[in-house]
Amino acid sequence: MLDNIQSALAPRGPEAAGILEITWVLVVGGALIFTLVLALTALAFFAPPRWLAGKGLIIGAGIVFPVITLAALLIYTLLAAPRLSAVEPADVTIEVVGHQWWWRVNYLDARGEVDFATANEIHLPVGRTVELRLRSADVLHSFWVPSLAGKLDLIPGKDNRLRLAATEAAVLRGQCAEYCGGPHAQMALFVVAEAPERFEAWRAAQRQPAAIAAEDAADSEAASGRRLFLSHCTTCHTVRGTRAEGELGPDLTHFASRLSLGAGILPNNRATVAGWIAGNQHLKPDNLMPEFRFDSGELRTLAHWLETLE
Amino acid sequence: MRVTALLALAWVALLAGCSDESRPVLGGDAENGRLLLRQFGCIGCHRIPGVAGATGNVGPPLDGVGRRVYLAGVLPNSPANMMRWIRDPQSFGFETAMPDLQVTESQARDMVAYLQELK
Ligand SMILES: [Cu+2]
């Protein structure tokens, strides 16, 4: 299932397909011309001299052929370009903010206000146009999901726009493609392209605050996990529905619904969360979250609560 | 000449090292175990040779765990005890940070098949 999740050779959208087509035209065309040049070189050595004498060859192969070929290529890529940046209004608008070394993902409403926030995972409806507004909170990053589109940088102070669409349901992986210091290589994300109904259900669930009240009654371990969270983690993390409103780290409101942990580096479950809280500097050296030294029981309790944040 | 002889000696020593006392095994699919160690997130806390991303250092590194004498400092190391530990680390009467991860018996057997190979 996870084959080809990060491959420009396995396009899942028109932009990536267009890039792949251009690539093939250039590679195959280049190979043909290269073979032709080699053949001419061989002729120059081995054929009777008069075969290549005369100005015809110079003018034909040296001037006319490159002019026509390059002009054709120029027109071809220019015509391909509008396909890569459609003009009709997008169906979904998402702001993606690069942070050292994770991605804030804000779904925007019709007025351009933040509808809800998540992190390190983008969901999008298959067959709809999605506009990404790429911004940076600190240094240069680059957004690259090879199966969907080419790279585009996240530049401090700029608002770069990337349009894309997915043609089939798939889980895809993306990677920061511009060195941004420290654990840059561990700054990845997942894109979940899903049927529009499933996307709408996901979006409706993400809008909700964390379900706290119900959980207290049912699960006392979760309640003590939440207390630990509220006394140690609120400066940096938000969990909507609680007083945790920190902005320095990823929004954790529906953390347990996400596939990965640590910006795409680990599967997300109770084990990895516990490992992350206690030992994230080994898992992702120099990332900006401190390690915590809880009693072992508290660590398990806290990890348990985070995994209830569906 | 001498170098070759030394190399040959070293090789023999290595082979001898491999074949000493082997523990009773419970079967299990070591390759599947390797994948499960990642999926279940053991990698978040343990360094495990051969498992992608296993750089955790919350618990002991599992290099050489197949030859370790006591698990968690108390349980004599055997495939059966390692399975019990993995399935329910909270059941031994002392506090440990390792959570009960709801590993099934056959999953634990596969993990143990892999871990016992780490000499
Ligand atoms: Cu980067």
Side-chain angles (χ1 to χ4, degrees):
Chain A
M1 180 197 97
L2 292 184
D3 289 340
N4 284 331
I5 62 171
Q6 186 176 321
S7 170
L9 298 176
R12 268 34 169 263
E15 286 73 18
I19 292 172
L20 184 61
E21 186 190 299
I22 293 177
T23 307
W24 282 125
V25 168
L26 292 183
V27 169
V28 173
L32 287 177
I33 294 173
F34 182 66
T35 318
L36 191 72
V37 171
L38 282 187
L40 282 176
T41 313
L43 277 185
F45 279 109
F46 303 114
R50 67 192 143 72
W51 280 28
L52 295 180
K55 289 210 186 74
L57 186 68
I58 305 275
I59 293 172
I63 299 173
V64 178
F65 177 75
V67 167
I68 291 180
T69 312
L70 291 178
L73 275 180
L74 181 66
I75 293 167
Y76 164 63
T77 43
L78 284 182
L79 285 181
R83 185 173 65 206
L84 303 182
S85 60
V87 269
E88 71 271 24
D91 298 308
V92 181
T93 310
I94 307 166
E95 180 180 58
V96 178
V97 187
H99 288 256
Q100 284 176 318
W101 290 273
W102 56 281
W103 312 85
R104 183 190 303 280
V105 177
N106 292 329
Y107 279 73
L108 304 185
D109 61 21
R111 288 164 298 140
E113 307 283 325
V114 176
D115 185 2
F116 62 86
T118 176
N120 301 327
E121 187 167 307
I122 298 176
H123 285 237
L124 38 94
V126 168
R128 306 284 156 81
T129 308
V130 176
E131 179 171 285
L132 300 181
R133 305 208 172 146
L134 304 175
R135 302 200 296 110
S136 169
D138 36 49
V139 299
L140 282 179
H141 302 275
S142 184
F143 182 90
W144 192 29
V145 181
S147 301
L148 287 181
K151 299 172 194 170
L152 193 61
D153 280 3
L154 290 71
I155 303 171
K158 277 207 147 188
D159 188 2
N160 271 346
R161 305 206 172 180
L162 178 66
R163 277 175 173 245
L164 44 81
T167 41
E168 59 180 275
V171 175
L172 305 169
R173 192 173 183 279
Q175 168 74 45
C176 178
E178 177 72 48
Y179 181 67
C180 54
H184 151 73
Q186 289 174 299
M187 180 171 167
L189 81 167
F190 282 93
V191 174
V192 179
E194 56 199 352
E197 317 79 68
R198 294 196 58 179
F199 170 76
E200 286 308 335
W202 175 84
R203 181 152 71 172
Q206 294 286 318
R207 273 195 193 113
Q208 300 301 317
I212 301 292
E215 157 201 308
D216 261 9
D219 184 345
S220 64
E221 193 188 358
S224 34
R226 192 182 78 239
R227 275 194 291 278
L228 286 168
F229 185 85
L230 292 179
S231 50
H232 292 91
C233 321
T234 53
T235 30
C236 298
H237 292 290
T238 295
V239 174
R240 280 174 278 133
T242 73
R243 59 181 174 73
E245 292 176 344
E247 291 278 308
L248 296 173
D251 184 297
L252 299 177
T253 308
H254 296 289
F255 170 67
S257 73
R258 303 210 281 259
L259 294 169
S260 80
L261 163 69
I265 63 167
L266 289 167
N268 180 8
N269 57 44
R270 198 205 291 217
T272 49
V273 185
W276 175 266
I277 296 169
N280 61 67
Q281 294 298 325
H282 282 94
L283 299 168
K284 187 166 177 175
D286 296 336
N287 87 82
L288 296 178
M289 172 159 155
E291 291 182 351
F292 288 83
R293 297 287 176 260
F294 290 108
D295 283 354
S296 56
E298 290 178 337
L299 178 64
R300 282 182 277 114
T301 304
L302 184 53
H304 171 68
W305 181 65
L306 284 164
E307 288 306 317
T308 64
L309 296 175
E310 279 292 343
Chain B
M1 231 23 247
R2 186 174 285 162
V3 176
T4 332
L6 272 177
L7 278 176
L9 258 179
W11 180 239
V12 170
L14 246 164
L15 289 179
C18 293
S19 64
D20 70 356
E21 127 276 13
S22 61
R23 296 175 190 283
V25 283
L26 297 175
D29 175 352
E31 176 53 22
N32 190 45
R34 192 174 70 85
L35 300 176
L36 291 173
L37 290 166
R38 183 177 162 81
Q39 249 171 47
F40 271 86
C42 318
I43 59 176
C45 290
H46 292 290
R47 208 166 69 214
I48 316 174
V51 180
T55 56
N57 202 14
V58 175
L62 300 184
D63 330 41
V65 74
R67 280 167 169 266
R68 200 154 295 160
V69 180
Y70 292 105
L71 297 176
V74 291
L75 274 179
N77 189 3
S78 69
N81 274 345
M82 193 184 272
M83 268 180 73
R84 284 174 59 209
W85 173 263
I86 291 174
R87 294 200 60 201
D88 196 357
Q90 304 301 319
S91 67
F92 296 88
F94 57 90
E95 271 286 307
T96 165
M98 179 158 153
D100 174 359
L101 297 168
Q102 266 116 48
V103 181
T104 68
E105 184 162 347
S106 82
Q107 289 166 333
R109 184 174 293 119
D110 291 354
M111 291 179 186
V112 169
Y114 183 81
L115 293 175
Q116 289 290 344
E117 289 298 308
L118 300 174
K119 304 280 166 147

